[in-house]
Amino acid sequence: MIGYAIRRLALAIPTLIAMLTMVFVLVRLVPGDAAVAMLGDRASNAALQALRTQLGLDQPIGVQYLHFLTDMLTGNFGRSMVSGRTVLEEVALVLPYTLELTAAAMLIGTLLGIPLGVIAAVRRDQWPDYVSRILSLVGLSFPGFVSAILMLLAFAVWLHWLPVMSRATNDPIDHLRNLLLPALNLGLIMTAYIARVTRSSMLDVMGEDYIRTARAKGVRPRSLILRHALGNALIPIVTVVGLYFGTLIGNSVLTEIVFTRPGLGKLILGALQSRDYTMLQGLMVVFATFVIIVNTVTDLIYALVDPRVGLAQ
Amino acid sequence: MTDATVSQAAPKRQPNPVLTAFRRNRFSWVGIGLLTLIILLAVFAPLVSPFDPLKQNILHRLSPPSAQFWLGTDSYGRDVLSRLLYGARISLSIGFFSVLVAMVVGSAFGILAGYIGGVFDQIVMGIVDVMLSFPTLLLGLMVAAMLGASFENLIIAIAITETAPFARVARAPTIAVKRREFVEAGRSLGFSPSLIMGVHILPNILSDIVVVASLWMASAIRTEASLAFIGLGVRPPTATWGGMIREGFENILSAWWLVVFPSLAILLTVLALNILGDALRDAIDPKTRSAQ
């Protein structure tokens, strides 16, 4: 297990470097160069040249690449062209809001999704299964921002149950009210996803011989489903929840924009509107690093719950 | 004589599993019907649209759905229904072409990686893993922001986000097919690798790729709408579904129809593609097929 953990952690390093290389290439896709894109076509040559020097664009590409790699690997993600703060400072300011939102969504997603998937699998091809499958399919078809807008329209604009805009507040109840709709939006989409995976995972496990043996032995149905079947069915679900993290982050960006919540979404949108490429590049690296960390941790958890993984390597 | 020909032909052509499954799964017809309808409406948009989608009409600003304007008008007095119909062309074509590009490029790399193996395989799959570690939407956002949003650039941006899954899907069955006798036979007869990959391997893994294509086209349409919503869509005044929601969002307190109808259009299109993809997957996956 420890050997596997070390190998898995070592694997994250080339992934990280390859990711940085890709971001480096992406940023250089800008037609013309980043300086022209940031200052516009009408900027003076002197201003362009000054910015190029500041961004290091006047150096040979190999040197730029090495600088970029060392900067990024030492945690120097650059400075926002607009606010002057470093990318990490900006991220640290809003990260708690995004983490709170994604954590709440994951909670809703697993608490609703797993039971829904189990019921669908146990009642296969009966009405609870059909209802759950149709709901999952609809949930999976919603782009995150569309469901967010429709929920905003229904609960805030029409029913007036909840605020249309999130406001900064110190009151914990207000804080929860601000969190509720965005978290529900992300959580329900995730529920659809988890329910689907749980159903198919449960169906796989329920067809195994040991379940038949347990049933023949007279294990009570409740214990059979919850302990014997779900216990093993959870293994692939852990992986899938981990892999879903990237999608969740993407959806949370749009959800934050719809609900005017502070967070990484607003940061990205701001960088986009002010053509702050340093910020965009830094955010891209931060996001991808998050995903790589979560994927690595997911694999480690997987090895922990399924001892066969460590042995097979 | 006839009997002999039939028995000779029989092992060659089995009943098409996809058609059989579609015949059994009635729900899949909902998806096919819906998708056909949306495609027809998009193709014949100039014929079925009641108004010019770009025609502004100050007298009818923000009018709610009525007998004249079935789905209401926007803040420039443009007819929402007409814009919706023309918007379908943008969504469907960006979805289709981006998936086509991703499918061709991704599958080519996947087949090559699976067939050649070794270091090349490791490099390609390494890049694929890295690309998968970028959240789809953020990668699309980044590329679209860098290239500048236009019809062609959006296709490129979305295609880049979807190439990696195709490479992965094409690689696994290539490795399995590579070891089968008929490929060995072809190789020992001296067929060139490109002939073997094109004629022997590609047709055998095509079904897997097509399933992924329909599911990723659903995702592509979602991504396009999301990018348009944050302002990285085909430039206004061209009607796009995501762009319509973006504009309507400013008037959400007074004009619900501006966001609700484009939302439904996106939802129904993505849903239809997902139903279709699911049905195709069930048809191809022997496990679910035998269970039905």
Side-chain angles (χ1 to χ4, degrees):
Chain A
M1 174 63 210
I2 293 172
Y4 172 76
I6 293 172
R7 274 197 302 273
R8 185 62 191 82
L9 285 174
L11 192 68
I13 295 168
T15 311
L16 209 60
I17 292 177
M19 179 273 285
L20 291 173
T21 310
M22 207 166 287
V23 172
F24 180 82
V25 173
L26 271 181
V27 173
R28 271 137 196 91
L29 281 179
V30 186
D33 68 5
V36 180
M38 274 191 249
L39 296 178
D41 298 333
R42 272 163 291 177
S44 71
N45 266 333
L48 283 176
Q49 209 49 52
L51 187 60
R52 284 197 188 113
T53 315
Q54 191 195 335
L55 295 175
L57 291 175
D58 50 354
Q59 288 166 342
I61 194 93
V63 178
Q64 287 186 38
Y65 177 63
L66 281 181
H67 272 298
F68 176 80
L69 272 192
T70 41
D71 275 355
M72 291 294 162
L73 288 176
T74 50
N76 179 10
F77 294 136
R79 228 166 246 286
S80 161
M81 307 296 294
V82 178
S83 70
R85 279 193 285 265
T86 65
V87 173
L88 278 185
E89 279 168 359
E90 293 269 14
V91 168
L93 275 179
V94 293
L95 192 62
Y97 294 97
T98 301
L99 283 185
E100 175 188 62
L101 179 62
T102 42
M106 280 215 164
L107 198 69
I108 295 173
T110 37
L111 284 184
L112 292 179
I114 292 178
L116 208 60
V118 170
I119 293 170
V122 173
R123 299 253 173 261
R124 185 182 185 179
D125 290 333
Q126 297 167 27
W127 69 264
D129 185 26
Y130 290 128
V131 171
S132 147
R133 278 163 73 186
I134 290 175
L135 285 181
S136 305
L137 205 58
V138 172
L140 285 174
S141 301
F142 264 116
F145 75 99
V146 168
S147 50
I149 289 177
L150 294 182
M151 284 176 86
L152 188 75
L153 198 62
F155 294 107
V157 178
W158 286 341
L159 295 170
H160 298 292
W161 287 354
L162 292 155
V164 175
M165 282 193 179
S166 309
R167 288 167 309 237
T169 171
N170 290 323
D171 182 43
I173 302 286
D174 270 358
H175 188 79
L176 277 182
R177 280 162 61 93
N178 283 339
L179 182 63
L180 186 62
L181 270 189
L184 214 54
N185 177 49
L186 292 176
L188 289 180
I189 295 179
M190 196 172 169
T191 302
Y193 190 69
I194 293 184
R196 213 173 140 103
V197 176
T198 306
R199 175 181 180 271
S200 73
S201 177
M202 276 295 279
L203 285 179
D204 280 351
V205 172
M206 298 282 275
E208 301 253 348
D209 289 342
Y210 80 93
I211 292 290
R212 209 179 341 150
T213 310
R215 191 174 280 150
K217 252 173 38 180
V219 175
R220 277 177 308 135
R222 173 188 287 267
S223 156
L224 182 85
I225 291 162
L226 293 184
R227 275 202 27 225
H228 297 251
L230 185 60
N232 273 329
L234 276 178
I235 295 172
I237 299 172
V238 170
T239 316
V240 161
V241 171
L243 287 177
Y244 185 75
F245 185 74
T247 310
L248 186 62
I249 285 275
N251 277 340
S252 73
V253 166
L254 286 170
T255 304
E256 284 169 355
I257 292 171
V258 170
F259 289 101
T260 55
R261 253 179 84 83
L264 293 173
K266 220 173 160 187
L267 209 55
I268 288 195
L269 197 65
L272 211 59
Q273 280 160 352
S274 55
R275 298 180 171 198
D276 191 343
Y277 286 95
T278 326
M279 191 73 196
L280 271 182
Q281 166 189 294
L283 285 174
M284 197 68 189
V285 172
V286 170
F287 273 119
T289 310
F290 263 135
V291 175
I292 290 174
I293 291 172
V294 170
N295 285 354
T296 309
V297 172
T298 308
D299 273 3
L300 292 179
I301 295 177
Y302 189 95
L304 209 62
V305 290
D306 189 352
R308 283 171 299 183
V309 173
L311 292 175
Q313 296 289 318
Chain B
M1 183 66 198
T2 25
D3 277 345
T5 13
V6 168
S7 62
Q8 261 178 358
K12 237 174 158 184
R13 282 226 170 268
Q14 290 166 349
N16 188 331
V18 177
L19 285 180
T20 318
F22 267 117
R23 223 170 283 138
R24 282 189 201 152
N25 182 352
R26 257 172 284 159
F27 191 51
S28 63
W29 291 108
V30 178
I32 295 178
L34 203 55
L35 196 63
T36 314
L37 181 70
I38 295 167
I39 293 174
L40 285 178
L41 285 176
V43 170
F44 295 107
L47 296 179
V48 289
S49 290
F51 297 94
D52 178 347
L54 303 179
K55 180 98 189 337
Q56 303 188 4
N57 187 341
I58 303 299
L59 292 177
H60 292 287
R61 287 184 67 235
L62 295 176
S63 26
S66 63
Q68 191 186 0
F69 305 104
W70 288 4
L71 305 183
T73 63
D74 68 7
S75 54
Y76 295 99
R78 298 175 296 198
D79 181 47
V80 170
L81 175 59
S82 307
R83 289 181 70 70
L84 219 52
L85 292 169
Y86 275 89
R89 299 178 138 201
I90 302 279
S91 286
L92 289 177
S93 48
I94 290 185
F96 178 78
F97 285 115
S98 62
V99 169
L100 189 69
V101 172
M103 183 169 86
V104 172
V105 176
S107 320
F109 274 105
I111 293 174
L112 281 173
Y115 189 80
I116 297 173
V119 181
F120 181 76
D121 183 26
Q122 282 178 356
I123 293 175
V124 170
M125 289 337 273
I127 295 174
V128 164
D129 280 344
V130 173
M131 291 186 76
L132 288 175
S133 76
F134 288 109
T136 311
L137 184 63
L138 296 174
L139 184 59
L141 185 151
M142 185 82 173
V143 180
M146 293 298 162
L147 293 175
S150 69
F151 186 78
E152 294 81 11
N153 288 348
L154 282 167
I155 291 175
I156 296 172
I158 297 171
I160 287 178
T161 67
E162 311 204 322
T163 303
F166 280 102
R168 190 171 260 190
V169 168
R171 176 179 172 267
T174 301
I175 292 174
V177 172
K178 187 171 79 169
R179 301 206 183 98
R180 300 253 298 268
E181 292 88 352
F182 65 91
V183 176
E184 292 286 345
R187 208 177 306 158
S188 57
L189 282 173
F191 290 173
S192 73
S194 56
L195 187 74
I196 292 175
M197 280 186 268
V199 177
H200 294 298
I201 293 184
L202 186 62
N204 276 290
I205 67 172
L206 205 59
S207 54
D208 293 311
I209 297 174
V210 168
V211 175
V212 180
S214 62
L215 291 172
W216 280 98
M217 185 162 161
S219 166
I221 288 177
R222 267 199 321 238
T223 309
E224 186 271 329
S226 306
L227 290 178
F229 177 68
I230 47 180
L232 287 171
V234 176
R235 294 259 167 259
T238 309
T240 66
W241 290 344
M244 289 173 75
I245 298 180
R246 175 185 170 81
E247 286 170 15
F249 192 51
E250 290 163 16
N251 289 307
I252 192 169
L253 294 177
S254 55
W256 56 268
W257 56 91
L258 293 183
V259 293
V260 168
F261 294 122
S263 295
L264 288 179
I266 297 170
L267 179 64
L268 287 179
T269 310
V270 177
L271 189 62
L273 283 164
N274 276 339
I275 293 175
L276 195 66
D278 271 7
L280 282 172
R281 186 173 42 196
D282 286 353
I284 286 164
D285 186 0
K287 214 165 34 178
T288 41
R289 200 195 310 156
S290 58
Q292 278 183 348

